[in-house]
Amino acid sequence: QVQLVESGGGLVQAGGSLRLSCAASGTRFSISSGAWYRQAPGKQRDLVATIPSFGNANYTDSVKGRFTISRDNVKNTVYLQMNSLKPEDTAVYYCNAVIQYQDYWGQGTQVTVSS
């Protein structure tokens, strides 16, 4: 059974940093493309960043220059490095990955940024 296991969330002060990880388990196939979404209380789930199989990563405007999405194909893991965090970044962050043409979601990890 394929699972995406997220880690790295927590409480941080404004201006601080966190790194989220999303590791695929239960499969011998590699992550093709990966993405991070976030959902704040009472709001819809929004796309934050994507990393394709080939080519450049893309970011929503509000995180450009602060967040970096990356991948480790050996560890079959996608990361989200978040710097210069702001209170408005507070949300549950979800990873999404395509593995062998199937779409998978992580369980979500809470990120809280205090002012």
Side-chain angles (χ1 to χ4, degrees), residues 60-99:
T60 191
D61 286 346
S62 62
V63 308
K64 284 181 180 177
R66 300 189 298 123
F67 290 11
T68 303
I69 189 171
S70 62
R71 61 194 298 163
D72 184 327
N73 292 330
V74 173
K75 295 182 178 179
N76 219 11
T77 298
V78 176
Y79 302 97
L80 185 67
Q81 178 67 44
M82 305 185 294
N83 298 328
S84 302
L85 282 160
K86 304 176 181 180
E88 51 264 43
D89 294 318
T90 294
V92 178
Y93 283 71
Y94 297 90
C95 71
N96 171 267
V98 174
I99 302 172

Side-chain angles (χ1 to χ4, degrees), residues 19-109:
R19 188 176 81 154
L20 306 183
S21 299
C22 172
S25 63
T27 179
R28 61 184 178 91
F29 296 106
S30 298
I31 292 173
S32 300
S33 60
W36 287 93
Y37 290 74
R38 66 186 179 187
Q39 187 168 19
K43 295 189 177 182
Q44 66 182 20
R45 189 175 297 187
D46 291 326
L47 180 64
V48 175
T50 61
I51 185 165
S53 301
F54 299 96
N56 297 323
N58 287 285
Y59 303 89
T60 191
D61 286 346
S62 62
V63 308
K64 284 181 180 177
R66 300 189 298 123
F67 290 11
T68 303
I69 189 171
S70 62
R71 61 194 298 163
D72 184 327
N73 292 330
V74 173
K75 295 182 178 179
N76 219 11
T77 298
V78 176
Y79 302 97
L80 185 67
Q81 178 67 44
M82 305 185 294
N83 298 328
S84 302
L85 282 160
K86 304 176 181 180
E88 51 264 43
D89 294 318
T90 294
V92 178
Y93 283 71
Y94 297 90
C95 71
N96 171 267
V98 174
I99 302 172
Q100 275 299 100
Y101 310 108
Q102 297 287 328
D103 194 60
Y104 298 94
W105 288 89
Q107 79 282 6
T109 186

